[in-house]
Structures are given as structure tokens and as C-alpha cells.
Amino acid sequence: MREVRRNFESGLRWVVKIDIKGFFDNIPHEIIMGLVEREISDGKMIRLVKKFPRAGVMEEGKLKPTVKGTPQGGVISPLLANLVLNHLDWTLESHGIRFVRYADDAVAFARSRDDAEKALEVIRQCVEGDLGLLLHPENTHPAAV
């Protein structure tokens, strides 16, 4: 909250709320593993991490396979989710976009509507293009504060 306030007080009066539709349930496994392999060089560790998202989930007493996503509540899910969202963080930083993120909730800041629209395009390209996820259309848009 301190960082949000700091951005607002510095004149960044436009925000883009970032809402990724069904984030945990929809992260493509190829994206997760590509990012894991970029950060970890130990083959044994990579093989172990690969097992977690594909481990399946129990629904009504039956094991159902998972073909995408990382199960909410899984011990490694927050780590994998942050690994994926770090890509968004780095992308925003490389474009000079100020933002605050907590888990999969984020807001980007801008000085004007035009800058907010440009930030939204960077966000859209990263989330939908690079990460293979979808922004929630009704909840992701520029707004003046």
C-alpha cells in the first residue's frame, strides 16, 4: 500500500488493474517449464519440478489429470506462479512502467490516459503473447484515480 500511495503522490493518476483470467488454473505447462529451465540448470531438479504441475488433482475422490495450470494449494504452486509472473515484472520494468504486484493481483501506474493505454498494450502482449494467458476483458482497463 505504501508503494501504491507513493506512485499516486508522484503524479501517476492513471492505473491499469491487471486481472489475469483464471491465472492458477490456466498457466500453460510449457511456459512454466521453459521458465524453470531458464532459471535452474540441475537436470534432477528440473525433472522433479516438472512432476508437480502434472500431478493431477483430487475431485470427488478421483484423481483427475492436469494438462495446464498449477493446483491452488499445492506446495510448489506459489513458487511456480511467481516464476511466471516475474516475466511480467521484468517486462514492465524494462518498459519503465511503475507497478505493484501481490501474487496474481497487480496494478500499473501512468501519468495520462495515453500512457495508461500504452502500458495496457505492453501488459497484453506479455500476458497473452508471451505467457499464453488471458486478461479478463471487463476487469482490465485504464482508469483515472
Side-chain angles (χ1 to χ4, degrees):
M1 288 307 297
R2 190 174 317 136
E3 189 64 24
V4 169
R5 185 178 188 156
R6 209 174 294 155
N7 284 312
F8 182 75
E9 289 173 349
S10 72
L12 301 174
R13 301 296 171 102
W14 281 83
V15 298
V16 178
K17 181 181 179 287
I18 303 168
D19 185 6
I20 301 172
K21 196 171 183 178
F23 173 70
F24 283 92
D25 295 331
N26 291 303
I27 307 169
H29 288 172
E30 316 79 64
I31 299 292
I32 294 171
M33 292 320 303
L35 292 167
V36 166
E37 289 170 357
R38 194 168 80 186
E39 297 295 323
I40 299 172
S41 59
D42 183 334
K44 288 180 183 178
M45 183 60 74
I46 290 171
R47 284 189 296 279
L48 176 63
V49 171
K50 275 185 178 181
K51 292 179 181 181
F52 280 95
R54 292 184 165 90
V57 293
M58 291 295 287
E59 287 183 6
E60 299 175 7
K62 294 184 180 175
L63 181 64
K64 292 189 139 190
T66 49
V67 295
K68 64 180 178 175
T70 182
Q72 292 187 51
V75 294
I76 199 169
S77 292
L79 175 67
L80 297 177
N82 271 312
L83 183 64
V84 170
L85 289 171
N86 276 343
H87 182 74
L88 175 62
D89 296 351
W90 296 325
T91 299
L92 294 175
E93 286 176 6
S94 74
H95 283 85
I97 299 169
R98 304 267 300 268
F99 68 98
V100 173
R101 180 175 69 80
Y102 180 78
D104 64 324
D105 295 316
V107 63
F109 300 89
R111 293 203 181 280
S112 66
R113 180 177 188 87
D114 188 50
D115 288 347
E117 293 284 353
K118 290 175 186 172
L120 178 56
E121 281 311 306
V122 169
I123 293 162
R124 188 177 317 285
Q125 174 56 44
C126 179
V127 171
E128 296 182 356
D130 298 350
L131 300 177
L133 296 162
L134 292 174
L135 292 172
H136 197 290
E138 291 89 37
N139 297 344
T140 306
H141 53 79
V145 289

